[in-house]
Each structure stands twice: as C-alpha cells, then as structure tokens.
Amino acid sequence: MSAAAALLPILRRVEELRAATLPWRRAGQTIGLVPTMGALHAGHLALLGRAVADCDRAVATIFVNPKQFDRKEDLSRYPRDETRDTRLLAEHRCDLLFAPQVEAMYPPGFASTVGVTGVSDVLEGLYRPGHFNGVTTVVCKLLLQAQPDRAYFGEKDYQQLTVVKRMVRDLDIPVEIVPVATVREADGLALSSRNVNLTPAQRAVAPLLHRVMTEIAEELADGQTPATLLLPEGQQRLGSAGFTKIDYLALHAADDLTPLLRVDRPARLFAAAWLGKTRLIDNIAVESS
Ligand code: PAF
C-alpha cells in the first residue's frame, strides 16, 4: 500500500460514514460527494478534482450496485480493483472512501425502490429494464447517508445525470448536483470502466462511435437534412465500421430528454452500440448553427 493510500480512511458501514462526516458538518465545512462503482479512470478523477476544488471535504464512494445491472454477465464482468482505486483517490486528495458491502446497503428484507418516471423511460430505459430504478435507489441512499452539499456526476452518463437531477428536485433532497464534462481518450473514445473489456481489435473500432456521432451532430445542427434520414444513415455507418449491434442513435432534448426530429432547442445526440459483449454509450451536445 502506498503512503498516501495508508492515510485514506475506508469506511464500510453507514454509521461510520455518519460519524466521520458529522464533525465536518458541525464545523461548517462543505462536503462534495463522488459516487462511483470503482475501476476508477481519469473521468472519475475529474469528478473528484471538482469536488476537491469546490468543497472543504471530498468523499468518494465505491459500490458496485447489483440493483442497476440488468444483465448478470455485466455484473460479473464489471472490473474491480479496490487497492488501485484507493491509491488513486488518496493521491487525488480524497478525504474519505465509503465502500460498503452489499449487505450494508441492502440488508435482508430491503424492500424500497426510488423511481423517476419519464426521463428514465427513454434511451437506456428501453434497453435496460430496471436500471434507473437501481441507480436512483442507490444514489438516493448515498445522498441521505453522506448528506453532501454537492454531488458530482459525469455527462458521459447524461441520462443518469438528468434522472438524478429530477429525483433531487422532486424529492427536495438538499444537494446541488454538479455535472462534469465527459473525459475522452486522444482518439475521442469516452472513458468508461468497461473499456478494459475491449479486445485490441474492438478498441481500434471504438473511437468511430464518437467520430460518426460528431459528423451526424454537425449535420443535424446544420438543419439541411432531416434527422429521419441522418440517424438511420449514422446507424448504418456504425454497422459498417464494425459495431456488432446498434441499440440506438437518437436525438433528444437536453433538458427533459424528449425525442426530437429537428434541433429546435438545445439537444443531445445519444448512442449505444455493441462491440462483441461490450456495450458502449456516448452522447454529445447538438446546438443549431
Ligand atoms: O455512474 C455510476 O458509476 C453509477 O451509476 C453510480 C452513480 C455510482 C450509482 O451506482
């Protein structure tokens, strides 16, 4: 264990988290929360960097939440390396890691679900039944457990960010949700913990998702060709590039995720596509030119 990692408290139980954060709150210190499922990469560290810059204390959580996995295989393949994650968090000035076991989050008899209708039902909601209920249930719990002033979510999972914002607004949870821009590799591939599952051949194809999306977004913004032509053409291009299945390439409103046929308000282009057993998702802003 590195010297920095040795100094990072790792707490497993909710009572320990409450006891550790109470003195900070009493002293008037602000707390920033960075919820993660571990397998940390530069995208997570960007969230932590914002929390460290904005708040007096930064708390990270690592919990591979079984309730948000719609496929057993995805859960079993999800990468885990707490030793490495702990070192990275400590080196990036995290004050505390909350890494509970499943039984601490979902004790026997656990029977509650937090769900957000509408914004959860499109895009990922159509392909991953129950996923967002799993996300909102665990995020609601983490917010109640850590009681942060701010919580940081990546735009890489833009729909998740939108769903969490709506939950916080609807349930009057006293926290500011702070969006952080997607971090990309030099070739455009959005960072994701699942990227480690790509074979070298799949990794070579993966950046084409962002490239095709960028080109389609420019044409959508231009407004000359209808989305009804551009989106199927984009799907075809992804298929020809080597993506084995395309779940969707779709234009939606940036605020409430209403499906759009033209860019008549701030919009985002969303995609989900498979390379073998690995599913990539991405999204980019589309502003009319
Ligand atoms: O984005 C993630 O890593 C997860 O969905 C989150 C927000 C940590 C909830 O499990």
Side-chain angles (χ1 to χ4, degrees):
M1 189 186 283
S2 73
L7 296 175
L8 178 69
I10 306 178
L11 308 181
R12 307 281 176 194
R13 296 187 313 126
V14 177
E15 308 83 76
E16 292 171 337
L17 175 65
R18 291 238 166 87
T21 50
L22 187 63
W24 297 344
R25 227 171 281 112
R26 285 210 173 125
Q29 295 183 336
T30 53
I31 300 174
L33 184 75
V34 180
T36 83
M37 297 204 297
L40 301 181
H41 51 64
H44 297 112
L45 299 177
L47 304 182
L48 179 60
R50 280 292 302 275
V52 168
D54 291 355
C55 306
D56 298 313
R57 299 286 184 168
V59 174
T61 69
I62 294 181
F63 179 62
V64 183
N65 173 30
K67 288 195 184 292
Q68 69 186 76
F69 285 82
D70 50 306
R71 292 179 305 121
K72 276 208 179 93
E73 196 192 353
D74 192 24
L75 177 59
S76 62
R77 269 163 54 96
Y78 203 83
R80 298 166 202 241
D81 189 347
E82 194 181 280
T83 308
R84 179 181 165 277
D85 289 346
T86 306
R87 179 177 51 75
L88 284 172
L89 290 171
E91 286 170 1
H92 289 80
R93 300 174 50 210
C94 181
D95 289 293
L96 186 163
L97 169 61
F98 179 53
Q101 301 296 326
V102 173
E103 305 72 47
M105 289 299 268
Y106 303 123
F110 186 89
S112 303
T113 302
V114 179
V116 178
T117 56
V119 284
S120 296
D121 298 332
V122 294
L123 298 165
E124 290 297 281
L126 296 173
Y127 289 86
R128 303 187 61 190
H131 167 69
F132 283 118
N133 282 358
V135 170
T136 39
T137 300
V138 82
V139 171
C140 186
K141 280 176 69 79
L142 291 168
L143 293 174
L144 295 172
Q145 291 163 348
Q147 296 177 46
D149 298 275
R150 302 187 186 95
Y152 296 80
F153 290 84
E155 287 186 343
K156 159 73 168 49
D157 296 303
Y158 191 92
Q159 187 175 9
Q160 168 174 282
L161 168 67
T162 308
V163 169
V164 166
K165 279 204 275 195
R166 184 64 61 90
M167 172 187 77
V168 161
R169 190 204 71 175
D170 287 356
L171 300 183
D172 304 309
I173 302 176
V175 64
E176 180 191 347
I177 300 300
V178 183
V180 178
T182 304
V183 179
R184 297 182 182 279
E185 303 280 8
D187 59 13
L189 176 65
L191 296 195
S192 160
S193 302
R194 291 181 176 88
N195 292 353
V196 296
N197 292 330
L198 295 170
T199 64
Q202 291 167 343
R203 176 64 187 79
V205 173
L208 293 169
L209 181 61
H210 181 245
R211 195 177 312 160
V212 170
M213 288 177 75
T214 307
E215 288 165 12
I216 299 288
E218 274 167 18
E219 292 189 66
L220 285 165
D222 183 43
Q224 298 297 312
T225 318
T228 44
L229 285 183
L230 286 173
L231 297 174
E233 183 196 308
Q235 294 217 11
Q236 254 175 16
R237 281 165 63 186
L238 291 172
S240 316
F243 285 90
T244 38
K245 184 153 75 100
I246 293 99
D247 283 347
Y248 56 80
L249 177 67
L251 184 70
H252 286 250
D255 55 357
D256 61 5
L257 304 185
T258 304
L260 297 180
L261 287 177
R262 66 188 66 80
V263 186
D264 49 11
R265 51 199 273 205
R268 290 192 89 91
L269 182 63
F270 293 85
W274 293 81
L275 284 168
K277 288 182 174 176
T278 304
R279 185 171 182 272
L280 301 181
I281 62 168
D282 204 347
N283 71 89
I284 54 176
V286 187
E287 314 270 347
S288 69
S289 41

